[in-house]
Amino acid sequence: MKIFLDTADLGEIRRAADAGLIDGVTTNPSLVAKVGGGRDITELYREICEAVDGPVSLEVIAVDRETMVSEGRKLAAIHENAVVKVPLTEDGLKACRDLVKEGHRVNVTLCFSVSQALLAAKAGASYVSPFVGRIDDVSGEGMQLIHQIRQIYDNYGYETEILAASIRHPMHVVEAMLIGADCCTIPSGVLWQLSKHPLTDKGLDAFLKDWGGLGTTL
Ligand code: E4P
């Protein structure tokens, strides 16, 4: 399963890329707003694309088909890693189809139902982003949606990749992997949480303490 980092923070992206742990990045307008104040956003996007060897989702701001397509063309022109992100609306699906016909890759975002995911695949999206955590937040079952999308995509051979999004904790990542999501986009904090286990820390402390008794170095 591919791991994408869900952030526009260049420091976080470089830290994870340096460890060789990420396959791409996803951004959204809220994430960019956190770090982009006073910055040239096109330049920020270019630096993010250069920091990672893989797809970087950059989202349109327009809500009508025509403007989404023209924004999408601009975003795609920033870097070969750029993937245009559009919302899962009627106009977004039409813009997706238009951009795909021009040879661009599209991530259809803000997916909350299996019927929406079906239409994203029909529109030729490279990725669909179901928002697991936000469904859980309103007492739904986000992972159930990932299950259902996996099933319909497999039933009919759709090649759109399921990009599990709105990930809140390590078990979301584990469950998405068990179901067979193609990718998971995760915040930096959750990425590093994946590496943690108290028995690892305890075991290491004991090893180092015992070695200390030898009074020597390697
Ligand atoms: C997906 O691409 C979005 O950027 C993201 O996963 C949204 O997550 P949130 O619900 O934590 O804002």
Side-chain angles (χ1 to χ4, degrees):
M1 185 178 73
K2 286 172 246 180
I3 293 181
F4 297 158
L5 206 64
D6 199 21
T7 184
D9 185 313
L10 266 169
E12 289 177 355
I13 292 165
R14 288 184 177 132
R15 179 182 169 202
D18 181 52
L21 291 174
I22 54 169
D23 304 292
V25 168
T26 56
T27 66
N28 67 39
S30 303
L31 293 171
V32 173
K34 281 189 194 166
V35 297
R39 285 214 54 170
D40 175 338
I41 300 301
T42 301
E43 190 45 39
L44 172 65
Y45 283 163
R46 186 169 297 112
E47 286 182 51
I48 293 174
C49 288
E50 283 168 0
V52 64
D53 186 15
V56 176
S57 292
L58 307 174
E59 190 158 344
V60 300
I61 303 303
V63 292
D64 67 283
R65 174 185 188 167
E66 198 176 75
T67 321
M68 276 192 224
V69 170
S70 82
E71 288 181 357
R73 288 181 187 130
K74 283 183 202 158
L75 292 170
I78 292 175
H79 195 277
E80 61 185 7
N81 286 345
V83 171
V84 182
K85 206 173 182 192
V86 302
L88 213 159
T89 58
E90 180 179 338
D91 279 70
L93 291 168
K94 289 173 181 169
C96 173
R97 171 57 68 197
D98 294 343
L99 288 162
V100 168
K101 275 190 190 153
E102 292 179 13
H104 303 299
R105 291 177 294 169
V106 178
N107 173 0
V108 180
T109 190
L110 290 167
C111 173
F112 293 93
S113 76
V114 70
S115 56
Q116 288 182 311
L118 168 65
L119 295 188
K122 296 289 284 182
S126 295
Y127 304 94
V128 66
S129 295
F131 276 40
V132 173
R134 292 195 196 185
I135 295 175
D136 290 354
D137 288 346
V138 293
S139 306
E141 289 196 33
M143 279 301 154
Q144 187 57 25
L145 176 58
I146 304 289
H147 258 298
Q148 290 174 339
I149 299 173
R150 181 74 283 154
Q151 188 174 336
I152 63 156
Y153 281 11
D154 289 350
N155 284 350
Y156 297 102
Y158 290 118
E159 289 179 3
T160 300
E161 293 190 33
I162 303 171
L163 201 179
S166 188
I167 295 296
R168 299 282 160 76
H169 51 71
M171 284 313 290
H172 270 159
V173 182
V174 172
E175 286 167 32
M177 277 194 288
L178 288 170
I179 294 166
D182 300 283
C183 346
C184 216
T185 188
I186 59 186
S188 179
V190 176
L191 174 69
W192 299 112
Q193 268 180 289
L194 290 173
S195 73
K196 305 281 183 208
H197 198 289
L199 291 180
T200 303
D201 297 338
K202 194 176 165 197
L204 181 59
D205 283 349
F207 285 159
L208 295 181
K209 188 165 167 262
D210 292 343
W211 182 271
L214 287 175
T216 186
T217 55
L218 283 179

